[in-house]
Amino acid sequence: MPILLTLAAVLGSALLGGLLARAARQPAVIGEMIAVIALGPALLGRLAPAAETALFSEASRPVLATLAQFGVTAFMFIVGLEVHVQPSRSTRALGVTLGSLVLPLLLGMLAASWALPAARGHAALWASVLFIGAALSVTAVPVLALILQDRGLARTPEASTALSAAASSDVLAWSLLAVIAVSTPGPSVAQRLAALLGLAAWTLLVRTVLTHLERRDLLRRAAPPLLIGATLVAVFVSAAASDAAGLHTIIGPLLLGAAMPRRSSLHALLSGTLGQVVRAALLPFFYLTAGLALDVSTFAPPKVTLTLLLAAVIGKVGGVLLGARLTGSAWYEAWRLGILLNTRGLTELVFLTTGLQLGVIQAPLYTSLVFITLLTTVATAPLLDLTKRRFGALKEAS
């Protein structure tokens, strides 16, 4: 099949999935992920293997992999732009943040210690255990923000608490992933140190130059294509530096995005225009590469999958519930925060795919964790509705 038809099929599937998800009161990104993943071995490959082979020929796969790499690299830069941890004096916010960090990490590591070493990759056991604990503590900030917006909660104190806790969870998870990445086989210590210093210097240089240009009002007057093009150059240099340091290509763009000046016209342009293009035109190819790595015939054993699912849900919902209640939140608010922060979505998918590439998990465990990611994210909206009805009925009864 011509490569252009393959590209059209992937983008069209993502578009259709997003429309169906919106009709089902789900964030569009969930439908996009499921629809494109279904084009791989998980569904199309099982129902019509010849169609999958024709759609994704061996000649087309390098092109698709390049587009996926482009998309996930740019997306991690956008994630860095959007992740903003604000220290809060609120006791409730602190309790929720600690609950969303500590219990999921500990329960995930405990579950992983039981499930491994049979299902781990070629990395050290401690790296695999730490990776699973970090993976179960992730909350997808972009998906969470969409859910809050759809529910009319975007400007509430509850939204601020949830987003701050989610950002803190993700910072912890990506920091732990960097530690794990450094522990895997790769360049020598001297090469890694030189690349790390280069990455730090490059990030500082980009921030300094942008701050200077913003003060002289040059960014606002520059043409948007020039700004976006120059930013992408900086992003890919950061990706190359972090890869040379053994940190994986996604860490450099994430750090660069977090270091960008926030109160600038460039920040709005990149998070808006560039972010929309990346999500609509490039990320579907990342979903595809994630889907092509899935094989539903190689799930981890049911006991392992169920244990990890329980650790993910109990750790996130239970940790937030405990933290919120201990700091004075009402039951309804505490439950709602716990359910919201159990959203994993796209950020988790990137995290898991990185772990598979680093060799800290094997394909069966990867498949199970992707299933858990999709299930917990899709369940968010129905559980919010159920909680609202349940506490509404109790309020009326009282």
Side-chain angles (χ1 to χ4, degrees):
M1 179 178 291
I3 183 64
L4 292 179
L5 289 181
T6 299
L7 302 183
V10 174
L11 294 177
S13 297
L15 180 62
L16 179 60
L19 292 173
L20 293 175
R22 287 192 189 96
R25 298 189 65 200
Q26 292 280 352
V29 65
I30 301 303
E32 293 166 3
M33 288 169 55
I34 293 174
V36 176
I37 287 174
L39 294 176
L43 184 61
L44 184 61
R46 296 177 70 84
L47 299 179
E52 186 207 0
T53 302
L55 190 59
F56 307 119
S57 64
E58 290 300 321
S60 69
R61 296 206 176 199
V63 177
L64 297 172
T66 301
L67 289 171
Q69 183 68 42
F70 191 163
V72 75
T73 301
F75 172 72
M76 290 310 298
F77 171 74
I78 301 298
V79 169
L81 284 175
E82 296 176 346
V83 171
H84 184 36
V85 180
Q86 291 182 319
S88 175
R89 296 180 181 179
S90 167
T91 305
R92 181 187 68 169
L94 180 60
V96 170
T97 299
L98 290 176
S100 71
L101 287 172
V102 178
L103 192 58
L105 179 64
L106 293 180
L107 282 185
M109 292 177 65
L110 184 64
S113 298
W114 173 77
L116 302 174
R120 70 184 177 95
H122 57 69
L125 179 59
W126 70 266
S128 298
V129 169
L130 185 60
F131 174 82
I132 293 175
L136 298 190
S137 69
V138 167
T139 297
V141 174
V143 178
L144 175 60
L146 289 173
I147 292 174
L148 290 168
Q149 186 174 7
D150 291 343
R151 297 269 162 175
L153 300 172
R155 299 186 180 277
T156 63
E158 188 177 12
S160 178
T161 299
L163 289 171
S164 178
S168 299
S169 297
D170 287 359
V171 168
L172 172 67
W174 292 115
S175 299
L176 293 176
L177 182 62
V179 172
I180 294 167
V182 169
S183 73
T184 59
S188 66
V189 175
Q191 290 174 318
R192 292 190 182 201
L193 182 59
L196 277 173
L197 291 175
L199 175 60
W202 175 250
T203 304
L204 180 60
L205 174 64
V206 171
R207 179 180 174 84
T208 302
V209 169
L210 289 176
T211 301
H212 177 70
L213 293 176
E214 178 68 22
R215 286 174 180 169
R216 300 186 64 179
D217 201 30
L218 295 176
L219 291 180
R220 187 178 59 83
R221 289 183 282 169
L226 174 63
L227 294 175
I228 291 175
T231 299
L232 289 175
V233 170
V235 168
F236 289 116
V237 170
S238 297
S242 64
D243 185 47
L247 291 175
H248 199 277
T249 54
I250 63 173
I251 300 298
L254 179 70
L255 293 175
L256 182 65
M260 296 290 281
R262 295 195 168 273
R263 297 179 181 178
S264 68
S265 56
L266 179 62
H267 190 282
L269 173 69
L270 295 175
S271 61
T273 304
L274 179 61
Q276 291 171 4
V277 171
V278 168
R279 291 184 173 101
L282 292 173
L283 278 181
F285 299 104
F286 169 72
Y287 308 150
L288 179 65
T289 58
L292 292 175
L294 285 177
D295 184 357
V296 293
S297 66
T298 62
F299 260 94
K303 290 190 298 183
V304 172
T305 303
L306 181 59
T307 300
L308 292 174
L309 175 61
L310 291 175
V313 175
I314 294 173
K316 206 64 165 177
V317 178
V320 172
L321 184 66
L322 181 63
R325 286 294 296 162
L326 288 177
T327 52
S329 294
W331 277 109
Y332 174 53
E333 184 182 7
W335 273 108
R336 191 158 67 169
L337 281 168
I339 293 168
L340 285 168
L341 286 165
N342 197 41
T343 301
R344 289 178 173 84
L346 174 56
T347 307
E348 177 80 329
L349 189 62
V350 175
F351 197 90
L352 295 176
T353 304
T354 304
L356 182 66
Q357 293 170 348
L358 291 173
V360 292
I361 54 173
Q362 291 180 336
L365 193 55
Y366 171 77
T367 301
S368 293
L369 288 170
V370 170
F371 167 75
I372 291 169
T373 297
L374 296 176
L375 179 62
T376 55
T377 307
V378 169
T380 299
L383 288 176
L384 287 173
D385 291 335
L386 178 63
T387 303
K388 185 176 181 179
R389 289 196 301 269
R390 175 64 176 167
F391 280 91
L394 290 175
K395 186 176 181 179
E396 290 178 3
S398 62

